Amino acid sequence: MKKILQTVLLVSVVMACTSGFEELNTNTNEPESVSADLLLPTVLYELADFSVTQSYDFGDMIAQHTARYEFNELDIYNWVSSDRFWVLYNNLQDIEEIIAYGEQQSQVNYRAVGMILKAYCYSMLTDAYGDVPYTEANRAESGIISPRYDAQERIYESLLELLEEANGIIDTSTPIEGDLLYDGNMLQWQKFGNSLHVRLLMRTAEVNDIGTKLQQMVDAPDTYPFFQGVEDDAVYTYSGAFPDISPRSSGRGRAYEYFLGMPTTHFVDLLLKNDDPRIAVWLGLRKKEDGTFDHKGVLPGQSLGDIGRPESFSSKDSTFFNDPGKIKGIFMTYSELNFILAEAAERGMISQQAKDFYETGVQASFAQWGVKMPEDFLTVTASYTDGDLDLIHEQKWLALYHSGAEAWFDWKRTGKPSFIQAGPGNLNGDEVPVRLMYPSLEQSVNSANYTAAAQQIGGDDINTRVWWDRR
């Protein structure tokens, strides 16, 4: 009887102690859900930082705009497993919450913005690696901690559907809050989404017949509005006041890391050949032994012992580092869109004139960088004639400077500009890499799915081509 009384007393005490336990242990200052207007600024800021970091630390080098005189493993293709783009899954978690918030609160514009950003992030992920987790990604709360990898073809199908749906549901009359990219202007978001749609369509041009869809979009500007000028560019402009400064600007970045990348012979020589005034905005002069100044590039992909000292070459213009507002997070531009359409027209995918798109693309690049274009640039220096795809891609390559890894992605698809070749010190059999190797962590924490994906794509190797790469 005594034991029974003790048990009853113990149960009573436990019940009393745990009554209201959930309420008492809930921190009202840490809400379980966050509204989209609070999530969106963080997402945009972090994606801008991602774009800048990938430009300076990866894209500019792999596309051979720049080369390093130290720590040049990337230049000579001594690549290992990389989570360089895998970190986008952190942003995608917040993006999924923005989409969910838009659905739950019946706010279609947040849902549409989330879809556009989701397509933007996943396109970079899959273009870098090939097959990646998609349908099961970021679902740990549902019990999926080892997501399977989806085929890149299926991912692209889904991304194009997302962009189509986003275009259809956007309400351009209702602005959104927390938008550091377009200040809530939904027409500009719609233009970004459709311009991104064109980029992704063209990415698949070697494996899909995209002409009908592309022509449909070009012929229906009211239904599918695109970028109409540089004011529509999807470019994050940092305020220049800490902490809203790029990760490579004075006050936040480090000068040593900034000056590590030197312009290549490809970059300098093409600008000099065309007497291109953008060189003054992009590059600094070197001082010669006789005291005069000029521009000189470094041959990309050399062994460290063959490069020489950095003072022998030009550098990036120092205002990129010293002016806290100069560096921007470039997602996509009006210039890029027009070069894509110029290629599509030249290849007969759309009926419009390639020359018109080409010239607009060049003009837009000069305007984007605030440089006055010489009057004879399009009539003499870089004049377009029918069939000149090389010229389109050369000028597009220049225009994609500091645009993350987009120039590399475009080279993978086209093989242009043709001067992008493995350098003399390369360790990859004279081949320019075409993908990143999966992060090493995937091999340990998601081993079965990693192994299946590696086998499916033909090996987790930097020379394994992704699905759309059939040049």
Side-chain angles (χ1 to χ4, degrees), residues 173-192:
S173 66
T174 304
I176 57 174
E177 299 293 329
D179 177 13
L180 300 180
L181 190 63
Y182 289 127
D183 196 26
N185 187 318
M186 290 308 300
L187 177 57
Q188 288 183 297
W189 272 105
Q190 190 175 26
K191 291 176 181 179
F192 176 29

Side-chain angles (χ1 to χ4, degrees), residues 8 29 48 86 118 319 469:
V8 171
N29 293 320
W86 215 259
K118 179 176 180 178
T319 57
D469 183 0

Side-chain angles (χ1 to χ4, degrees), residues 357-429:
F357 289 123
Y358 165 78
E359 292 184 349
T360 301
V362 174
Q363 291 166 342
S365 178
F366 276 85
Q368 175 190 338
W369 291 96
V371 177
K372 180 176 174 57
M373 188 178 71
E375 291 184 4
D376 64 349
F377 194 83
L378 292 175
T379 56
V380 178
T381 307
S383 61
Y384 177 79
T385 57
D386 289 345
D388 201 347
L389 270 174
D390 286 341
L391 180 63
I392 291 175
H393 286 291
E394 281 185 1
Q395 287 298 317
K396 183 180 183 183
W397 178 77
L398 288 174
L400 288 174
Y401 182 48
H402 279 343
S403 296
E406 186 56 33
W408 179 53
F409 292 152
D410 204 53
W411 172 83
K412 290 202 299 179
R413 178 180 64 84
T414 64
K416 298 180 183 296
S418 57
F419 53 65
I420 297 178
Q421 301 286 337
N426 83 88
L427 303 178
N428 191 43

